[in-house]
Amino acid sequence: MKPALTLWKDRDPAAMRLPGIRCGTLEGLPDDPVDAVGRLAADGVQFVQVHEPVDLTDPDGASAVAVLLVVRELTSHGIAVDWTLRMADPAQWRALSHLHPPAGVFRGSTGEENDERVVTAWRGSFHIAKCGYRRGPGFLEIRDHRGGSFRRLVVQAPRSTAFQGLLDGVPVIASASTERALERYLSENLLHRAGRYLWWTPYRLRRWPLSTTIP
């Protein structure tokens, strides 16, 4: 079952208690996260709470990816997210470190102890536009700071249905043929595996930071 989301028009705890700031709860997640989160941003939503942990230990991965796509789009729009993450190995957190920092990172499928070191490192290293892209005619320019040093990649965007779907926020079920076609993006951590699914990790940059030649 997909988690519910509670929405507010302010992220300040005191302001969140005022009348009219809470925007209600969405039961379930949108099928089109790119469009849905864009509408939330246009409506003035500034803070979102995800009620269930994102469980990357789930061998299926469908629910985890559905939430991660929403968190990615919320981060893209500068909307704060209260969410938690469950991982088999929290040391692998850096591939997701461009997303708004979670409140907790838990080890294993049943572990309840929050890995405070990972949460602190994630929070301390997070900044806007940590890993994002802009889309041009036939290419993507990606700016990636997740590894601690700046990487700028320009890739010719394939016209395959799978790749275009990934950019539009649709996860792809992993298969041998799919992985071969998308091998470069997997090796660059531009794709992330969650259970049976692959999803595109960089978010669209809404405001391009300074010159394209400046890290």
Side-chain angles (χ1 to χ4, degrees), residues 184-204:
R184 176 183 179 185
Y185 309 108
L186 283 162
S187 67
E188 297 280 4
N189 280 328
L190 302 178
L191 286 179
H192 179 258
R193 178 193 299 277
R196 299 186 301 128
Y197 290 85
L198 302 174
W199 62 284
W200 180 253
T201 55
Y203 41 72
R204 180 182 170 191

Side-chain angles (χ1 to χ4, degrees), residues 32 41 46 48 57 66 76 81 83 96 99 103 106 108 119 141 165 199 209:
D32 185 343
Q46 293 189 28
V48 174
T57 69
S76 173
V81 195
W83 65 298
L96 305 177
L99 303 177
F106 304 94
V119 173
E141 182 178 354
W199 62 284

